[in-house]
Amino acid sequence: MSKILIRGAKVLGGEPQDVLIDGEIIAEVGTGLSDEGTVVVEADGKVLLPGLVDLHTHLREPGREDSETVLTGTRAAASGGFTAVFAMANTFPVADTAGVVEQVYRLGQEHGYCDVQPIGAVTVGLEGKKLAELGAMHESAAGVTVFSDDGKCVDDAVMMRRALEYVKAFGGVVAQHAQEPRLTEGAQMNEGVVSAELGLGGWPAVAEESIIARDVLLAEHVGSRVHICHLSTAGSVEIVRWAKSRGIDVTAEVTPHHLLLTDELVRSYNPVYKVNPPLRTERDVLALREALADGTIDIVATDHAPHPHEDKDCEWGAAAMGMVGLETALSVVQETMVATGLLDWAGVADRMSVKPAKIGRASGHGRPVSAGEPANLTLVDTAYRGSVDPAGFASRSRNTPYEGRELPGRVTHTWLRGKATLVDGKLT
Amino acid sequence: MQRHLISAADLTRDDAVLILDTAEEMARVADRPIKKLPTLRGRTIVNLFFEDSTRTRISFEAAEKRLSADVINFTAKGSSVSKGESLKDTAQTLEAMGVDAVVIRHGASGAPYRLATSGWIDAAVINAGDGTHQHPTQALLDAFTMRRRLVGRDAGLGQDLSGRRITIVGDVLHSRVARSNVDLLHTLGAQVTLVAPPTLVPVGVHTWPCEVSYDLDSTLAKSDAVMMLRVQRERMNAAFFPTEREYSRRYGLDGLRMARMPEHAIVMHPGPMVRGMEITAEVADSDRCTVVEQVANGVSIRMAVLYLLLGGNEPAVTHTRTTEEK
Ligand SMILES: [Zn+2]
């Protein structure tokens, strides 16, 4: 493998530096590095970050290859600057055995656009009745450490307790989709002023908050670690903040869309805005940004949820829930967190690479940009501004809420262990 | 007037008064030996009902036929709408058939809005009830009934409902009728009070242009009209209230309660009435109860809406008389 010299990049947003990649690792970081025998990438004031890591991606393979495959999903990830994604277990069949997780893991390795770390189901078939073979999935070639019934809540308190206890044996974490099922029967959108007017079934904040409150207490009681998926309300932030102050081992994620969009958009009845948990209010959005900035919320995760056109081109009630997010995540974070002064680029690297890798135990990712580290890197043209055009997405699905919306920032290059997966905005 | 009628909230005061006045003209047609106008001859209107509602469909059909439109009834009940493709597919079929207006009833809130705004179809869309969202022609016929009874048939022309006090009682949470009425009555200048047990009032109601009370008895004496909503018995099983009897005792309208209303006050119900729980037979059969009038008024209102949406530029009545003289 040849040497690559990234010249004049603002590493983590700092002063321009040169970064020399040799093979799979970063050989040198400094100023005025020699370009002899290298392929030069003129970074010209662009920001260089460690490759992004997404702890919450839906790749749909196996089972719904019409929405996304491991190949199209990892190409979308590389386009968005990601070098590792954690693939959720709600596939068909469900990723609840060593066989399924190994298949997904291997596909990721074969395609080579992005490391795919499968997430294992907590319960068999996501049915909440019986623990899946968590140990076997951990011991498989996929080395699963994150377990989640995402899409569904592990709502049975005893089941949740057992899962939390069980994964302690191998340092696993249970990632909870916090949604009290009885309180959200028939739920279509955030319960509040807008749902009252539109006559759409309400998804109350308390349905999320009550589960989070219960789970942090369970985690404390059994001395385990719990991760909260796509936290979406101001009340949830307060509970997590309280739990952390008490020393409970809880981490939490927020999606880009919950940092930017509100339930006012549902007035359009356009199902592109239908997502679970639902878009909340302005007050929630501001609380989430604040919490991501102060570290109460640890990471940004996309909840990339591809759906084919026909599942969204219909009336609201019949539409599937979810949005694609891999290719717009960094832009939305720049818009909501960097442009607002809440985070600097080092902070973005922390929330979108370092911490998610740490929570998921992806040891080769989220590393410092320094000599000797794996060359998982992302180069961002932060001065760019342009409107989102889903026609250019690498994802097989186009269900983005940002179509036609102007957002800042564009990932121009992505390197996975020294191999370019994205060059000048084009996939290799 | 806009091209579609999706929500009562979309109507301005002047739009609403124009519809009521036009409906007054339309009502005269019903008094004639031949109850038909040639106004919409050659226009095709589809009644697209994804949810069963014989009353509403027949009312629209009567209105369409009195205006001489060609009517197609499409009942999608039983066809699978779970994947949601059928609305779009059906819309495109209708578009291909050159339909001028679609009257749609759908179980999903927002379906008519989607139909009108998604580019699937070019026809005018009239919402005949969507989920728990809106039922604008119901609100219009209710307002029409109130104006006739409280202001007067001829005296009402050009008038709104300023200063009238309307109480709406029952399952507000699941009621498109309540939502539509709150919007329209507010636009028409009336003061609305919603009365229900707290379990049947939506979170977020505080932003609506109305008052909310949990106590029926305290509102009766100052109501010009009391509108009783239908309460479905299955709500009881979902713990919205403890028992049918308790609901009746606290929120049902019986003779005793009716006696506390002012002399001129009327009792309304969108129908069909379930006698016993929300309204007693004594009240339902009294001459203060306008249920039967509401049904008749529904046809006049729907004629007016169809006429105005499908390009009625001249006053309906002038048009009517000229064609009649031929
Ligand atoms: Zn989820």
Side-chain angles (χ1 to χ4, degrees):
Chain A
M1 207 177 268
S2 59
K3 294 184 184 178
I4 301 165
L5 183 71
I6 307 168
R7 189 143 62 193
K10 296 196 268 181
V11 178
L12 270 51
E15 288 304 307
Q17 283 186 297
D18 302 339
V19 175
L20 180 68
I21 300 174
D22 188 358
E24 296 194 357
I25 62 162
I26 298 169
E28 214 180 333
V29 179
T31 45
L33 298 189
S34 157
D35 59 9
E36 205 185 309
T38 70
V39 176
V40 177
V41 174
E42 295 292 355
D44 200 20
K46 291 176 189 168
V47 170
L48 189 68
L49 301 173
L52 306 182
V53 177
D54 187 15
L55 200 67
H56 192 149
T57 305
H58 296 273
L59 291 179
R60 304 295 187 214
E61 185 177 7
R64 283 306 301 267
E65 291 83 356
D66 57 328
S67 328
E68 194 82 284
T69 62
V70 174
L71 177 60
T72 59
T74 51
R75 282 169 65 89
S79 289
F82 290 87
T83 52
V85 297
F86 285 72
M88 274 299 172
N90 63 338
T91 49
F92 306 96
V94 169
D96 57 3
T97 61
V100 179
V101 293
E102 280 188 356
Q103 179 199 356
V104 171
Y105 172 77
R106 204 164 301 128
L107 282 170
Q109 293 300 306
E110 275 167 30
H111 299 317
Y113 282 97
C114 179
D115 285 346
V116 175
Q117 184 54 57
I119 291 173
V122 176
T123 65
V124 175
L126 309 178
E127 279 171 358
K129 303 245 157 55
K130 199 172 171 300
L131 278 186
E133 290 190 350
L134 310 177
M137 287 189 273
H138 177 71
E139 283 158 20
S140 75
V144 176
T145 54
V146 184
F147 298 89
S148 181
D149 277 358
D150 182 59
K152 288 183 177 176
C153 180
V154 181
D155 65 301
D156 182 299
V158 172
M159 189 63 68
M160 188 62 184
R161 174 197 172 146
R162 299 283 183 249
L164 286 168
E165 287 176 310
Y166 195 81
V167 299
K168 279 201 294 181
F170 41 83
V173 62
V174 178
Q176 177 68 294
H177 172 121
Q179 175 181 8
E180 209 293 317
R182 289 278 281 135
L183 284 171
T184 51
E185 277 169 15
Q188 294 285 332
M189 68 172 297
N190 179 48
E191 182 168 74
V193 167
V194 182
S195 68
E197 204 174 301
L198 298 185
L200 288 172
W203 198 134
V206 66
E208 174 173 306
E209 293 154 6
S210 57
I211 293 291
I212 297 176
R214 182 199 74 178
D215 287 353
V216 294
L217 294 173
L218 282 174
E220 177 179 48
H221 182 64
V222 303
S224 188
R225 134 179 121 97
V226 66
H227 176 75
I228 309 299
C229 293
H230 41 52
L231 183 148
S232 70
T233 79
S236 298
V237 167
E238 283 175 41
I239 294 164
V240 171
R241 190 172 286 141
W242 170 84
K244 285 188 167 176
S245 76
R246 209 173 144 94
I248 297 171
D249 200 353
V250 56
T251 53
E253 73 191 30
V254 61
T255 71
H257 48 270
H258 287 111
L259 290 172
L260 182 61
L261 309 175
T262 70
D263 65 352
E264 288 292 328
L265 291 161
V266 182
R267 291 182 189 280
S268 67
Y269 283 110
N270 186 344
V272 78
Y273 300 116
K274 186 171 174 182
V275 66
N276 186 10
L279 300 178
R280 305 289 188 181
T281 67
E282 185 75 20
R283 182 179 154 263
D284 295 303
V285 165
L286 296 176
L288 294 171
R289 290 182 186 178
E290 207 66 48
L292 182 64
D294 72 21
T296 302
I297 295 176
D298 301 82
I299 65 168
V300 174
T302 68
D303 194 6
H304 176 80
H307 290 294
H309 184 65
E310 61 270 24
D311 287 358
K312 286 288 194 181
D313 191 30
C314 57
E315 61 275 24
W316 181 277
M321 297 194 185
M323 305 168 166
V324 292
L326 285 169
E327 289 166 89
T328 47
L330 192 60
S331 292
V332 175
V333 170
Q334 184 176 340
E335 174 91 346
T336 57
M337 301 300 296
V338 182
T340 53
L342 287 165
L343 275 187
D344 57 14
W345 286 105
V348 172
D350 180 69
R351 308 303 195 272
M352 295 187 77
S353 178
V354 178
K355 291 267 175 62
K358 200 170 280 174
I359 294 167
R361 304 279 200 259
S363 54
H365 293 272
R367 310 287 307 173
V369 181
S370 54
E373 296 289 349
N376 294 317
L377 296 165
T378 292
L379 191 60
V380 192
D381 177 3
T382 56
Y384 176 88
R385 253 196 112 80
S387 65
V388 176
D389 179 12
F393 282 1
S395 172
R396 180 161 284 183
S397 294
R398 302 278 180 273
N399 50 308
T400 173
Y402 311 116
E403 179 168 5
R405 185 173 187 132
E406 195 175 291
L407 287 175
R410 193 170 70 105
V411 175
T412 63
H413 293 72
T414 308
W415 291 275
L416 176 62
R417 282 182 293 278
K419 183 191 157 232
T421 54
L422 187 80
V423 175
D424 288 326
K426 290 187 184 63
L427 288 159
T428 57
Chain B
M1 284 279 290
Q2 306 191 344
R3 219 164 65 77
H4 308 289
L5 180 57
I6 306 296
S7 165
D10 298 340
L11 295 169
T12 63
R13 182 217 172 256
D14 289 351
D15 284 341
V17 170
L18 173 66
I19 295 170
L20 300 186
D21 288 354
T22 307
E24 217 37 278
E25 305 298 342
M26 295 299 179
R28 293 195 185 136
V29 177
D31 299 335
R32 299 180 188 177
I34 297 168
K35 301 176 174 41
K36 216 163 164 103
L37 297 176
T39 319
L40 296 182
R41 187 177 285 157
R43 314 295 288 276
T44 304
I45 302 174
V46 171
N47 298 317
L48 182 58
F49 277 57
F50 288 88
E51 197 183 72
D52 225 3
S53 174
T54 312
R55 295 164 65 99
T56 305
R57 187 182 52 72
I58 288 177
S59 178
F60 268 105
E61 197 174 340
E64 291 150 7
K65 287 186 168 159
R66 280 187 194 170
L67 292 169
S68 304
D70 294 326
V71 179
I72 300 171
N73 284 312
F74 181 97
T75 308
K77 208 201 162 216
S79 76
S80 165
V81 291
S82 61
K83 263 211 96 182
E85 282 172 87
S86 57
L87 177 62
K88 185 187 177 188
D89 292 347
T90 309
Q92 288 178 335
T93 306
L94 299 177
E95 179 74 352
M97 290 160 70
V99 163
D100 297 294
V102 177
V103 173
I104 176 175
R105 159 69 66 105
H106 203 289
S109 300
Y113 183 88
R114 222 30 206 140
L115 189 62
T117 58
S118 56
W120 299 334
I121 195 166
D122 217 31
V125 175
I126 297 158
N127 183 359
D130 62 326
T132 51
H133 178 221
Q134 283 275 333
H135 192 0
T137 58
Q138 176 73 43
L140 284 161
L141 78 86
D142 290 336
F144 185 74
T145 306
M146 287 176 214
R147 195 176 77 166
R148 275 193 157 187
R149 282 281 200 128
L150 301 175
V151 187
R153 196 168 166 150
D154 291 319
L157 286 175
Q159 303 296 306
D160 57 22
L161 292 167
S162 290
R164 310 289 157 168
R165 290 179 298 190
I166 318 295
T167 301
I168 301 176
V169 188
D171 185 357
V172 175
L173 180 64
H174 301 97
S175 176
R176 53 194 170 212
V177 175
R179 281 176 177 76
S180 312
N181 265 292
V182 168
D183 289 336
L184 184 67
L185 292 171
H186 172 71
T187 301
L188 289 171
Q191 293 169 31
V192 182
T193 304
L194 298 173
V195 179
T199 47
L200 290 174
V201 177
V203 167
V205 77
H206 61 276
T207 61
W208 294 11
C210 61
E211 304 273 297
V212 177
S213 166
Y214 306 134
D215 179 16
L216 178 57
D217 290 309
S218 70
T219 63
L220 289 172
K222 44 188 186 193
S223 301
D224 297 305
V226 175
M227 184 186 297
M228 304 305 292
L229 300 172
R230 188 155 146 224
V231 178
Q232 288 172 342
R233 288 203 157 89
E234 67 249 36
R235 304 293 178 220
M236 200 174 81
N237 302 327
F240 286 102
F241 48 87
T243 64
E244 209 174 297
R245 286 315 311 151
E246 174 154 330
Y247 181 87
S248 261
R249 273 197 301 271
R250 293 177 63 84
Y251 299 100
L253 192 60
D254 58 9
L256 231 61
R257 282 202 166 110
M258 189 169 66
R260 274 187 237 146
M261 293 163 52
E263 201 79 14
H264 67 275
I266 54 171
V267 175
M268 307 181 71
H269 195 294
M273 285 188 288
V274 184
R275 289 161 192 246
M277 183 150 79
E278 73 253 11
I279 194 164
T280 62
E282 181 191 4
V283 176
D285 296 333
S286 86
D287 59 3
R288 302 172 81 170
C289 180
T290 60
V291 172
V292 179
E293 281 165 65
Q294 286 171 267
V295 174
N297 292 341
V299 178
S300 305
I301 278 291
R302 285 160 184 141
M303 287 173 77
V305 166
L306 288 163
Y307 171 77
L308 292 166
L309 282 185
L310 290 180
N313 293 321
E314 331 151 39
V317 71
T318 323
H319 190 69
T320 305
R321 287 190 181 142
T322 6
T323 39
E324 209 178 41
E325 278 154 16
K326 280 185 199 165

